[in-house]
């Protein structure tokens, strides 16, 4: 019943700022959490979210869903109630909005930088772990396009759409974006009031991702 109500409000509410959509989603997630934990909630988000998503987050309040599920994931992990992976919530969000990496990254950025959302150091670290997962997905999609393994990428490579100078400029821009965002996230990690033993793997993950992508672009012939 609550699923049908959620679909109704998400599909027909004309006021995207109304709390009714967010509250309905929150209630739906709570029901899933009580039924089967994070695994069930992520499955429900993937199933229903991908059904109602139409290209933006008007009917899919990613910030509300992200914070709600990441908090629940952390609570269940700390209490030992459930084994939760770093990638569980992030991948569910990506699936719900049909692989829109930029939209999901923007959602995490909003939560990490907004002063209106008070995050504990452990929750912030949890969000940064998820960001690392999403950035890994983004890096993979960029590499696939550059190597021509996606239909779009293959088309560009085979047809020679861009000149050498144009491709060099594009790659340089992507490399600069990779470096700047990776540095920002690494700075966020170092500012956390947590023991280094808890933060070191996340910091190293961002560093390794930055180095691997920067090296890849530096030696790119195209």
């Amino acid at each position: 019943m609550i699923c049908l109500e959620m679909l109704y409000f998400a599909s027909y509410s004309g006021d995207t700022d109304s709390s009714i959509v967010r509250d309905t989603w929150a209630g739906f997630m709570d029901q899933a959490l009580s039924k089967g934990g994070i695994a069930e909630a992520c499955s429900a988000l993937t199933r229903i979210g991908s059904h109602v998503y139409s290209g933006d987050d008007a009917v899919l309040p990613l910030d509300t869903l992200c914070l709600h599920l990441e908090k629940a994931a952390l609570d269940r992990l700390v209490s030992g109630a459930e084994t939760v992976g770093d990638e569980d919530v992030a991948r569910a969000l990506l699936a719900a909005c049909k692989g829109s990496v930029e939209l999901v990254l923007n959602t995490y950025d909003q939560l990490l930088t907004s002063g209106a959302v008070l995050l504990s150091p452990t929750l912030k670290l949890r969000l940064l772990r998820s960001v690392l997962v999403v950035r890994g997905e983004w890096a993979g999609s960029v590499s696939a396009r550059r190597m021509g393994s996606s239909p779009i990428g293959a088309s560009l490579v085979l047809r020679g759409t861009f000149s050498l100078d144009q491709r060099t400029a594009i790659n340089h821009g992507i490399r600069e974006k990779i470096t700047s965002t990776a540095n920002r996230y690494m700075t966020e990690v170092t500012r956390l009031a947590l023991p280094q033993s808890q933060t070191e793997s996340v910091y190293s993950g961002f560093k390794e991702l930055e180095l691997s992508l920067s090296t890849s672009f530096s030696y790119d012939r195209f």
Side-chain angles (χ1 to χ4, degrees), residues 58-69:
V59 297
L60 190 66
L62 290 180
D63 54 344
T64 296
L65 290 163
C66 179
L67 189 59
H68 197 88
L69 289 180

Side-chain angles (χ1 to χ4, degrees), residues 181-221:
T181 54
N183 286 337
R184 178 162 58 84
Y185 289 130
M186 285 188 286
T187 300
E188 290 280 355
V189 174
T190 59
R191 288 176 176 173
L192 295 175
L194 292 170
Q196 185 177 358
S197 59
Q198 295 183 30
T199 62
E200 186 173 8
S201 63
V202 184
Y203 181 92
S204 298
F206 282 118
K207 187 65 176 178
E208 290 171 7
L209 186 61
E210 176 201 11
L211 290 174
S212 65
L213 287 172
S214 295
T215 300
S216 174
F217 277 110
S218 294
Y219 289 96
D220 189 358
R221 293 175 56 191

Side-chain angles (χ1 to χ4, degrees), residues 39-217:
E40 176 65 23
C42 287
S43 176
L45 172 58
T46 297
R47 184 175 67 256
I48 304 301
S50 60
H51 180 70
V52 302
Y53 176 73
S54 59
D56 56 41
D57 57 354
V59 297
L60 190 66
L62 290 180
D63 54 344
T64 296
L65 290 163
C66 179
L67 189 59
H68 197 88
L69 289 180
E70 291 288 13
K71 281 183 175 180
L74 181 61
D75 289 343
R76 287 174 173 268
L77 185 62
V78 171
S79 67
E82 185 178 356
T83 300
V84 183
D86 294 342
E87 73 284 353
D88 289 356
V89 175
R91 292 196 186 282
L93 291 169
L94 282 169
C97 63
K98 302 178 181 179
S100 180
V101 174
E102 186 175 0
L103 187 58
V104 175
L105 278 177
N106 288 341
T107 297
Y108 278 103
D109 275 340
Q110 178 184 341
L111 293 174
L112 286 165
T113 59
S114 174
V117 180
L118 299 178
L119 304 173
S120 68
T122 52
L123 180 55
K124 200 166 188 177
L125 182 62
R126 168 82 200 178
L127 295 181
L128 286 165
R129 289 182 185 277
S130 294
V131 168
L132 184 57
V133 171
V134 180
R135 276 181 56 81
E137 291 291 320
W138 175 78
S141 67
V142 169
S143 296
R145 287 196 298 269
R146 289 171 53 251
M147 295 300 293
S149 59
S150 68
I152 295 176
S155 174
L156 293 178
V157 171
L158 292 174
R159 296 178 188 175
T161 303
F162 298 116
S163 68
L164 177 60
D165 288 343
Q166 287 174 321
R167 287 193 290 267
T168 300
I170 291 171
N171 287 345
H172 179 74
I174 295 174
R175 185 168 65 248
E176 289 298 313
K177 185 175 183 179
I178 291 169
T179 302
S180 63
T181 54
N183 286 337
R184 178 162 58 84
Y185 289 130
M186 285 188 286
T187 300
E188 290 280 355
V189 174
T190 59
R191 288 176 176 173
L192 295 175
L194 292 170
Q196 185 177 358
S197 59
Q198 295 183 30
T199 62
E200 186 173 8
S201 63
V202 184
Y203 181 92
S204 298
F206 282 118
K207 187 65 176 178
E208 290 171 7
L209 186 61
E210 176 201 11
L211 290 174
S212 65
L213 287 172
S214 295
T215 300
S216 174
F217 277 110

